[in-house]
Amino acid sequence: MPCIALGLALLLAGTAAQAQDKLAAELREQIVRVPASVQDAEGRLVQGELLVTTFRPQGKGPFPLVVISHGRDSKTRAEYKRQRYESATRFFLRKGFAVAVPLRLGYGELASLGDPESSVNCSSPRFASALAAAAAQILEVARFMQQQADIDPQRLLLLGVSVGGISTIAATSLHQPQPTAAINFAGGHGGRPDVQPGEPCQADQLRQLYGRYGELDAQQAKPTPTLWVYAENDRYFSPRNARRWAESYGQAGAKVDLRVLPPFGEDGHKLFGTGNDVWQSLVDEFLAPLGFDKPGVLAVPPPTSAASADEAALPQGGVKLREAYQKFLAAKLPRAFAMSSEGRWGYAIGDDSISRALAFCQRDYDKPCKLYAVNEAVVWSPP
């Protein structure tokens, strides 16, 4: 995880757990409960109320909706917290989307109810039932959100990562409701990164399932445009498998735009969560022709100074501000420092540093913050 230094407001918030549990007012963050009932691989009923974290842009709407679906780690599924994906959420809020991020049955506080997404075993996995259960929950959340007065039910984007990615494609194929588009990040099931990197259990069964989902989607009057994003060094699902799965889906008549990106970090499977700077422009490009042309990627202001190393040039005084800026200057790239005209500040290092620096500065503060420095250049212009 990248090192992060926060502004004073977040430091006063207490422990990391307290900061996590506090709802972000500037994101209009709320928690809702959505009832869901599915069957596991043995036909047993698993039901409960999904914990769904929602976010909305400023304004009255109606907003397009994106449902973001998480992945799976069977060893730690009972430890899952409510899902937020804050960097991705801020990206979609900038594009004008309302965001819903459900915690599905079998995870976190819902783990004790059962595990409907278990594939049972590796030699003869029951992927179809697991993915049907996940898809049903995704669609239930979408329907619930579409009933809200400020949501546009005609503009729906489904997005998922790993098991959430292939489950998103499964949900898309049902058209209940019909999504405008779907995005599959590193989708698959049964990954074995420690045993056989890149090769999941029964990859051909997954290929056949993707083909079936493609057939179902192609039967509709308006097949759904889909974007699939994988990385060359994905330790769960190799590029070879990703290409075979996308080919099966596309040959069935469905629409697929597969992007296999260069290696990312030590495991490209983590691209969605920690590689926002890599994928956000790609998603902007995919969604623009579909009517979602408002950019989500933050533009960097042009440099106003060639170097950011002169702390004496800061437009505001204050010991804590200058100490924070000294730490920023000592940090590795990429990095960003934001501040307000009243001396509030926040900085961030690593992935999505620009958005996070602004967020740290802005948290619990009702006046605007601006970027002061990005990497080695000052970009500040007086208000």
Side-chain angles (χ1 to χ4, degrees), residues 209 236 318-319:
L209 279 172
Y236 286 73
V319 174

Side-chain angles (χ1 to χ4, degrees), residues 210 228 241-251 256 258:
Y210 270 125
W228 297 27
N241 283 315
R243 292 185 177 97
R244 291 177 66 236
W245 297 341
E247 182 181 35
S248 180
Y249 186 76
Q251 286 180 345
V256 57
L258 172 66

Side-chain angles (χ1 to χ4, degrees), residues 84-108:
R84 298 180 76 247
Y85 292 114
E86 185 170 334
S87 285
T89 289
R90 289 182 180 276
F91 167 79
F92 282 108
L93 290 177
R94 292 192 292 268
K95 292 186 71 63
F97 281 83
V99 181
V101 191
L103 180 70
R104 300 190 301 277
L105 294 168
Y107 301 91

Side-chain angles (χ1 to χ4, degrees), residues 298-368:
L298 279 172
V300 181
T304 56
S305 176
S308 61
D310 186 4
E311 67 182 72
L314 284 167
Q316 299 291 335
V319 174
K320 290 189 178 295
L321 172 60
R322 293 185 182 280
E323 288 178 348
Y325 194 64
Q326 288 174 349
K327 293 179 181 178
F328 163 78
L329 292 175
K332 295 180 179 180
L333 306 182
R335 65 192 186 199
F337 192 99
M339 60 184 294
S340 74
S341 59
E342 297 181 346
R344 290 276 297 215
W345 56 270
Y347 74 87
I349 304 159
D351 177 51
D352 197 38
S353 59
I354 295 173
S355 178
R356 291 188 296 111
L358 288 167
F360 294 151
C361 181
Q362 198 74 50
R363 192 158 292 172
D364 300 322
Y365 183 60
D366 59 1
K367 295 182 180 180

Side-chain angles (χ1 to χ4, degrees), residues 21-360:
D21 290 339
K22 186 175 182 180
L23 301 181
E26 73 275 16
L27 305 181
R28 299 177 66 189
E29 181 177 10
Q30 295 181 325
I31 298 173
V32 297
R33 298 276 182 170
V34 178
S37 177
V38 299
Q39 289 186 335
D40 66 12
E42 304 295 337
R44 291 184 293 256
L45 186 67
V46 182
Q47 56 187 350
E49 291 189 331
L50 308 183
L51 182 67
V52 184
T53 305
T54 67
F55 307 85
R56 285 171 169 80
Q58 298 302 315
K60 297 181 179 180
F63 308 113
L65 171 68
V66 56
V67 179
I68 302 178
S69 299
H70 63 78
R72 171 184 178 82
D73 186 333
S74 59
K75 296 179 181 178
T76 63
R77 65 182 181 84
E79 302 170 14
Y80 277 40
K81 308 300 182 184
R82 70 181 177 91
Q83 304 291 289
R84 298 180 76 247
Y85 292 114
E86 185 170 334
S87 285
T89 289
R90 289 182 180 276
F91 167 79
F92 282 108
L93 290 177
R94 292 192 292 268
K95 292 186 71 63
F97 281 83
V99 181
V101 191
L103 180 70
R104 300 190 301 277
L105 294 168
Y107 301 91
E109 65 176 53
L110 304 174
S112 62
L113 300 176
D115 185 15
E117 296 179 21
S118 171
S119 60
V120 183
N121 62 64
C122 190
S123 60
S124 56
R126 304 183 190 181
F127 291 137
S129 59
L131 300 175
Q137 295 172 75
I138 292 169
L139 294 174
E140 198 63 55
V141 171
R143 286 190 289 264
F144 174 88
M145 292 298 296
Q146 287 178 324
Q147 294 171 11
Q148 310 310 305
D150 61 350
I151 300 298
D152 183 348
Q154 302 304 315
R155 294 189 294 166
L156 170 64
L157 171 65
L158 299 181
L159 181 153
V161 56
S162 193
V163 168
I166 189 172
S167 298
T168 288
I169 298 300
T172 296
S173 72
L174 300 176
H175 286 235
Q176 299 174 3
Q178 178 176 346
T180 307
I183 304 177
N184 167 18
F185 275 93
H189 202 325
R192 299 176 291 173
D194 299 326
V195 178
Q196 195 168 359
E199 292 302 319
C201 302
Q202 304 300 320
D204 196 58
Q205 185 183 137
L206 293 171
R207 182 188 62 78
Q208 293 173 19
L209 279 172
Y210 270 125
R212 177 56 180 159
Y213 300 147
E215 290 176 3
L216 290 172
D217 191 68
Q219 290 171 6
Q220 307 299 321
K222 188 178 180 181
T224 307
T226 69
L227 173 66
W228 297 27
V229 184
Y230 292 77
E232 286 282 355
N233 63 332
D234 191 311
R235 289 180 56 83
Y236 286 73
F237 313 118
S238 69
R240 183 181 68 85
N241 283 315
R243 292 185 177 97
R244 291 177 66 236
W245 297 341
E247 182 181 35
S248 180
Y249 186 76
Q251 286 180 345
K255 294 183 178 180
V256 57
D257 180 356
L258 172 66
R259 305 295 182 93
V260 178
L261 303 185
F264 174 78
E266 295 182 358
D267 181 4
H269 198 67
K270 299 177 181 179
L271 175 67
F272 178 73
T274 59
N276 291 268
D277 290 336
V278 176
W279 63 257
Q280 288 187 1
S281 59
L282 186 64
V283 171
D284 260 347
E285 175 189 327
F286 169 70
L287 291 177
L290 303 176
F292 306 113
D293 54 0
K294 186 176 181 180
V297 174
L298 279 172
V300 181
T304 56
S305 176
S308 61
D310 186 4
E311 67 182 72
L314 284 167
Q316 299 291 335
V319 174
K320 290 189 178 295
L321 172 60
R322 293 185 182 280
E323 288 178 348
Y325 194 64
Q326 288 174 349
K327 293 179 181 178
F328 163 78
L329 292 175
K332 295 180 179 180
L333 306 182
R335 65 192 186 199
F337 192 99
M339 60 184 294
S340 74
S341 59
E342 297 181 346
R344 290 276 297 215
W345 56 270
Y347 74 87
I349 304 159
D351 177 51
D352 197 38
S353 59
I354 295 173
S355 178
R356 291 188 296 111
L358 288 167
F360 294 151

